[in-house]
């Protein structure tokens, strides 16, 4: 029993990674935000900080996530839609205007173009007088789950993993306080995976990153402490608590037994949690507040380090200011009113929870086993194995909803026609402003310098050396995200499934 | 009527395809022939594929909020080509946008929570199948 559960803050960390957990420090309340232009998002950031949010979390629009400029034909209709549009360093300067980067940590949900955005963040820090070794935060930077579940990939898996290794290696020396990857099960779960598939497929991806880093000679005891995870918190309250505990224990074992790390920090699974967007209903949006509360509570009882609570209107649109405030207050009530933070792992020792934790650990191992059988995550993705697992689960879930084996209150039971109408977030379309600003940037920079640095960047790709320094230079010369990404595409190619 | 043929398509840059895939599979299990375009399709590609495949229905899915732009562009291209088929849409579509989209010529917007059976019944009803 002792070796499976142990004490909080001790291997295998089933009961939490810190001995005193939230009595020592609460989780970071990190609401994800980003829309329209850098200017408007900057205002939202300041609003959230004023309301007591303790870290920033930036949502980028799809063109930015895919390395397209706002005036690219493919960006039509998408500029500033699901996040903020960032075309060049000029936008990043506006986005972070008045936000002290030495005091605020920032999480950026960005993958294919993570290196470029992190470079911009570093450049803004330098302009503020905050050197790279003082800035902190997290980039998602988890490309494998993009092929598995979310679809914002640009380059093929091989070069994508190489870029990630460049980031690990550059940052371990130059940006030591930044979490260089947040390996994500969130999107895998949102795409329809079960609890064990969420953790199993995420760990399979994590193992792949670490195997590659090790192959390249990087010291895992330096890299692993800067790795964090991002999980979903779904509806099944007890199962979710057990999921987090099982994940923590299994990860510690994988790191110690398989990768042979020595540093205890390399074995500690640190994770951000977001409540499950896909469980929210457009019908009866007020009911979503209760769903989010239950999910957030499970995440806290599961020992999360950071939390985003979804807003009740997210099944309709981007959240309104009022809905975000309620979502954030939900976390604050759990933290300051509910009393659950006074006990470390309050469900530890519960018969049901410990049994579920053990069972989930076994099921997660089975999922990882299926991926390893074919040679690891990249191979499995190429064969479509995780994709198929998720599709089967999501279809099964749909049938369960339709057959009412799974009940969603207000949707397939206790529903009536009188839905309460609420207003989702309304944001001005910033496309025109964005395109004009981009043109201005192009007009004001030194074109010769831009050409030169892009040639150097291409050469660095061809020479297969670390491309981070060139990306940082390119960003500082106001090269656009589209220009940088096209340069990389010339060498690495584009992924077509 | 012979088999109903449906093109399930994801216009724009949004990669969230859970809904599109569930619908594709559900329609197949109700005896329809389904072609799925995959993610990140341009309006031009979608319309061309619909014509080439000779589909009876186009089902569009978009969760990024770009539906007004993308769906109406597709309707415009369809009109130009004079190809006739049923067009339905779904995804994260605020209720207030539905009248606009119907005005653009879409036959129906299915909001989240719609069952596959409802979609099948709607399509069959419209096509008198």
């Amino acid at each position: 029993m002792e070796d499976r559960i142990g004490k909080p803050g001790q291997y295998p960390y089933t009961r939490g990674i810190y001995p005193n957990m939230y009595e020592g420090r609460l989780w970071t309340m990190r609401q994800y935000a980003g829309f329209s232009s850098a200017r408007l998002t900057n205002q939202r950031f300041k609003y959230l900080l004023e309301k007591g949010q303790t870290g920033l979390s930036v949502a980028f629009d799809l063109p930015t996530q895919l390395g397209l400029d706002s005036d690219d034909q493919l960006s039509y209709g998408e500029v500033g839609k699901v996040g903020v549009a960032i075309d060049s360093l000029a936008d990043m300067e506006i986005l972070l205007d008045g936000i002290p980067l030495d005091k605020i940590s920032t999480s950026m949900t960005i993958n294919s173009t993570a290196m470029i955005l992190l470079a911009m963040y570093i450049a803004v820090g330098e302009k503020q007088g905050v050197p790279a070794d003082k800035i902190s935060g997290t980039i998602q930077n988890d490309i494998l789950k993009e092929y598995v579940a979310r679809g914002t990939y640009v380059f093929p898996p091989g070069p994508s993993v190489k870029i990630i290794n460049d980031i690990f290696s550059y940052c371990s020396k130059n940006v030591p306080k930044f979490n260089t990857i947040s390996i994500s099960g969130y999107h895998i779960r949102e795409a329809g995976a079960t609890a064990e598939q969420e953790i199993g497929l995420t760990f399979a991806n994590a193992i792949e990153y670490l195997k590659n880093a090790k192959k390249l000679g990087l010291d895992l005891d330096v890299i692993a402490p800067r790795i964090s995870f991002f999980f979903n918190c779904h509806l099944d309250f007890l199962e979710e608590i057990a999921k987090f505990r099982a994940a923590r224990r299994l990860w510690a074992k994988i790191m110690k037994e398989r990768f042979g790390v020595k540093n205890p920090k390399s074995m500690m699974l640190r994770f951000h949690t977001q409540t499950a967007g896909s469980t929210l209903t457009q019908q009866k949006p007020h009911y979503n507040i209760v769903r989010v509360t239950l999910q957030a509570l499970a995440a806290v009882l599961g020992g999360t380090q950071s939390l985003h609570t979804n807003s009740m209107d997210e099944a309709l649109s981007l959240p309104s200011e009022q809905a975000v405030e309620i979502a954030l207050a939900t976390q604050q009530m759990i933290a300051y009113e509910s009393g659950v933070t006074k006990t470390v792992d309050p469900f530890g020792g519960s018969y049901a929870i410990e049994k579920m934790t053990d069972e989930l650990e076994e099921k997660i191992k089975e999922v990882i086993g299926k991926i390893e059988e074919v040679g690891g995550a990249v191979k499995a993705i190429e064969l479509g194995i995780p994709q198929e697992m998720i599709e089967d689960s999501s279809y099964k879930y749909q049938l369960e909803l339709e057959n009412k084996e799974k009940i969603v209150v207000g949707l397939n039971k206790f529903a009536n026609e009188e839905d309460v109408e609420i207003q989702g977030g309304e944001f001005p379309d910033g496309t025109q402003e964005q395109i004009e600003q981009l043109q201005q940037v192009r007009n004001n920079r030194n074109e010769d310098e831009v050409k030169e640095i892009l040639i150097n960047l291409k050469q660095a790709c061809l020479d297969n050396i670390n491309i981070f320094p060139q990306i940082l230079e390119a960003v500082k010369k106001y090269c656009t995200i589209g220009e940088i990404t096209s340069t990389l595409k010339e060498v690495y190619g584009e992924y077509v499934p | 009527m012979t088999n109903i043929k449906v093109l399930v398509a994801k216009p724009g840059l949004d990669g969230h395809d859970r809904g599109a895939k569930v619908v594709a599979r559900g329609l197949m299990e109700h005896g329809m022939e389904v072609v799925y375009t995959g993610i990140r399709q341009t309006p031009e590609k979608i319309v061309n594929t619909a014509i080439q495949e000779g589909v009876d229905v186009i089902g569009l899915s978009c969760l990024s909020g770009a539906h007004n732009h993308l769906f109406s562009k597709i309707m415009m291209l369809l009109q130009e080509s004079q190809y006739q088929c049923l067009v339905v849409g779904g995804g994260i579509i605020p209720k207030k946008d539905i009248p606009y989209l119907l005005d653009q010529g879409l036959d129906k917007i299915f909001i989240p929570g719609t069952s596959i059976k409802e979609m099948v019944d709607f399509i069959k009803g419209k096509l008198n199948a």
Side-chain angles (χ1 to χ4, degrees):
Chain A
M1 185 83 165
E2 199 58 18
D3 65 320
R4 282 192 296 116
I5 301 171
K7 292 194 173 68
Q10 283 179 21
Y11 185 86
Y13 305 104
T14 313
R15 307 204 61 196
I17 57 170
Y18 303 119
N20 54 355
M21 288 302 287
Y22 304 129
E23 280 282 73
R25 200 179 91 178
L26 286 171
W27 62 92
T28 305
M29 300 182 190
R30 210 188 276 283
Q31 297 294 98
Y32 187 48
F35 50 85
S36 283
S37 63
R39 186 171 54 82
L40 290 170
T41 304
N42 176 267
Q43 286 171 12
R44 173 66 69 93
F45 285 169
K46 286 178 177 161
Y47 171 83
L48 286 166
L49 291 170
E50 203 181 291
K51 292 280 171 200
Q53 175 170 289
T54 48
L56 295 180
S57 176
V58 191
F60 297 99
D61 72 357
L62 288 164
T64 307
Q65 293 187 45
L66 292 166
L68 300 167
D69 286 338
S70 293
D71 58 358
D72 193 296
Q73 218 194 329
L74 294 170
S75 304
Y76 175 77
E78 311 269 16
V79 176
K81 278 289 181 338
V82 296
V84 59
I86 300 289
D87 286 305
S88 76
L89 180 59
D91 296 328
M92 200 65 147
E93 287 165 0
I94 298 168
L95 182 74
L96 299 168
D97 180 53
I99 292 164
L101 298 199
D102 53 345
K103 295 195 179 68
I104 295 290
S105 78
T106 304
S107 164
M108 297 193 278
T109 301
I110 192 84
N111 297 284
S112 328
T113 50
M115 187 187 264
I116 306 171
L117 272 300
L118 177 58
M120 288 182 187
Y121 195 81
I122 294 171
V124 172
E126 283 178 11
K127 288 199 169 187
Q128 280 190 6
V130 184
D133 61 356
K134 294 281 185 299
I135 59 169
S136 64
T138 305
I139 38 171
Q140 193 165 81
N141 196 26
D142 170 16
I143 199 66
L144 292 176
K145 66 102 186 12
E146 295 295 337
Y147 306 106
V148 174
R150 186 158 160 267
T152 59
Y153 40 72
V154 175
F155 316 111
S160 291
V161 173
K162 187 262 176 197
I163 294 174
I164 288 171
N165 274 314
D166 285 358
I167 296 176
F168 286 171
S169 143
Y170 182 89
C171 292
S172 62
K173 293 184 198 86
N174 304 292
V175 202
K177 287 168 78 180
F178 228 89
N179 295 315
T180 42
I181 196 166
S182 166
I183 306 167
S184 305
Y186 186 81
H187 316 89
I188 292 173
R189 190 69 181 273
E190 286 290 288
T194 60
E196 61 265 24
Q197 286 170 345
E198 176 192 350
I199 306 296
L201 294 174
T202 307
F203 281 3
N205 289 345
I207 290 168
E208 187 85 18
Y209 293 127
L210 288 170
K211 273 198 307 197
N212 275 294
K214 200 174 175 183
K215 227 192 282 171
L216 286 170
L218 298 174
D219 180 357
L220 293 193
D221 269 322
V222 175
I223 306 293
R226 305 274 20 134
I227 287 180
S228 66
F229 288 85
F230 172 22
F231 295 127
N232 196 302
C233 200
H234 221 263
L235 287 167
D236 191 329
F237 189 75
L238 297 182
E239 183 183 68
E240 291 299 291
I241 298 170
K243 176 186 84 177
F244 295 123
R245 298 174 85 254
R248 208 160 29 232
R249 177 160 79 205
L250 182 58
W251 185 246
K253 287 187 196 164
I254 290 172
M255 291 309 288
K256 189 176 180 178
E257 292 165 14
R258 175 173 187 156
F259 287 105
V261 296
K262 302 275 181 289
N263 183 352
K265 283 204 169 124
S266 310
M267 304 170 200
M268 292 178 191
L269 178 108
R270 295 174 304 133
F271 63 99
H272 169 72
T273 307
Q274 181 175 341
T275 59
S278 62
T279 65
L280 303 185
T281 58
Q282 187 168 355
Q283 297 79 3
K284 311 256 177 218
H286 288 105
Y287 290 14
N288 291 330
I289 297 175
V290 184
R291 289 191 181 99
V292 169
T293 306
L294 287 167
Q295 293 168 7
L297 184 59
V300 168
L301 296 173
T304 195
Q305 274 62 61
S306 154
L307 182 61
H308 168 106
T309 32
N310 286 324
S311 301
M312 62 171 157
D313 51 5
E314 282 187 57
L316 300 162
S317 68
L318 289 181
S320 66
E321 221 163 69
Q322 190 205 18
V324 175
E325 188 182 326
I326 294 171
L328 179 58
T330 304
Q331 294 198 39
Q332 292 165 336
M333 286 179 227
I334 294 172
Y336 299 103
E337 295 183 17
S338 75
V340 297
T341 54
K342 290 183 207 148
T343 308
V344 177
D345 189 28
F347 278 56
S350 138
Y351 179 77
I353 287 285
E354 296 300 352
K355 182 166 177 281
M356 283 170 115
T357 304
D358 292 347
E359 283 172 358
L360 271 166
E361 187 183 355
E362 287 312 309
K363 287 190 207 161
I364 296 166
K365 278 200 230 164
E366 274 172 39
V367 175
I368 299 173
K370 281 186 192 149
I371 303 299
E372 303 254 280
E373 234 167 66
V374 297
V378 169
K379 282 265 171 56
I381 289 165
E382 284 166 0
L383 294 169
I385 292 170
Q387 295 92 318
E388 211 169 287
M389 285 163 84
I390 296 169
E391 277 165 38
D392 285 345
S393 298
S394 75
Y395 193 67
K396 192 167 157 252
Y397 187 85
Q398 175 69 24
L399 294 184
E400 284 170 356
L401 282 184
E402 294 193 9
N403 300 333
K404 302 194 181 186
E405 287 162 48
K406 271 207 183 357
I407 298 300
V408 180
V409 174
L411 186 71
N412 66 1
K413 202 174 171 86
F414 313 114
N416 54 45
E417 286 305 306
E418 295 147 37
D419 281 340
V420 183
E421 289 281 342
I422 58 164
Q423 189 72 44
E426 290 269 10
F427 305 102
D429 183 26
T431 310
Q432 204 47 43
E433 180 185 338
Q434 191 61 30
I435 290 175
E436 280 164 20
Q437 224 162 265
L438 173 62
Q439 202 46 54
Q440 247 179 26
V441 167
R442 290 205 189 102
N443 294 341
N444 291 337
R445 62 187 189 178
N446 183 328
E447 285 303 310
D448 292 335
E449 281 182 355
V450 165
K451 276 193 196 117
E452 194 191 334
I453 181 63
L454 290 176
I455 290 170
N456 292 345
L457 173 60
K458 188 174 175 184
Q459 196 54 48
C461 294
L462 290 166
D463 293 344
N464 204 26
I465 57 171
N466 194 327
I467 61 171
F468 205 116
Q470 264 73 26
I471 298 268
L472 192 53
E473 273 314 299
V475 159
K476 286 179 183 172
K477 303 285 188 232
Y478 293 88
C479 294
T480 67
I481 197 160
E483 291 162 343
I484 298 173
T485 307
S486 317
T487 306
L488 302 186
K489 276 185 203 166
E490 286 172 28
V491 181
Y492 297 141
E494 269 188 84
Y495 180 72
V496 184
Chain B
M1 186 168 175
T2 50
N3 255 1
I4 297 172
K5 195 166 177 183
V6 187
L7 180 72
V8 173
K10 275 199 65 73
L13 302 178
D14 160 45
H16 295 91
D17 56 359
R18 173 182 184 164
K21 283 177 173 168
V22 165
V23 168
R25 185 148 161 188
L27 297 181
M28 271 193 270
E29 295 201 353
H30 281 85
M32 297 186 191
E33 190 183 342
V34 178
V35 180
Y36 174 48
T37 59
I39 60 171
R40 281 199 237 161
Q41 302 296 307
T42 60
E44 289 79 5
K45 260 202 228 162
I46 290 169
V47 171
N48 286 339
T49 310
I51 296 170
Q52 271 169 18
E53 295 279 346
V55 298
D56 308 294
V57 187
I58 302 177
L60 301 169
S61 164
C62 179
L63 285 82
S64 71
H67 48 270
N68 281 353
H69 293 266
L70 292 164
F71 289 8
S72 52
K73 180 89 189 276
I74 289 164
M75 295 315 295
M76 197 190 79
L77 293 169
L78 270 176
Q79 208 168 22
E80 277 173 16
S81 73
Q82 298 192 332
Y83 185 77
Q84 301 260 335
C85 68
L86 203 63
V87 185
V88 297
I92 302 291
I93 314 248
K95 275 191 184 153
K96 66 174 173 44
D97 290 346
I98 295 176
Y100 170 80
L101 293 170
L102 297 179
D103 229 35
Q104 298 298 300
L106 277 104
D107 294 281
K108 180 90 181 168
I109 297 296
F110 293 114
I111 64 167
T114 309
S115 71
I116 289 162
K117 181 80 176 30
E118 286 169 69
M119 295 182 209
V120 170
D121 289 346
F122 177 83
I123 292 170
K124 285 190 173 168
K126 277 279 180 182
L127 297 175
N128 299 317

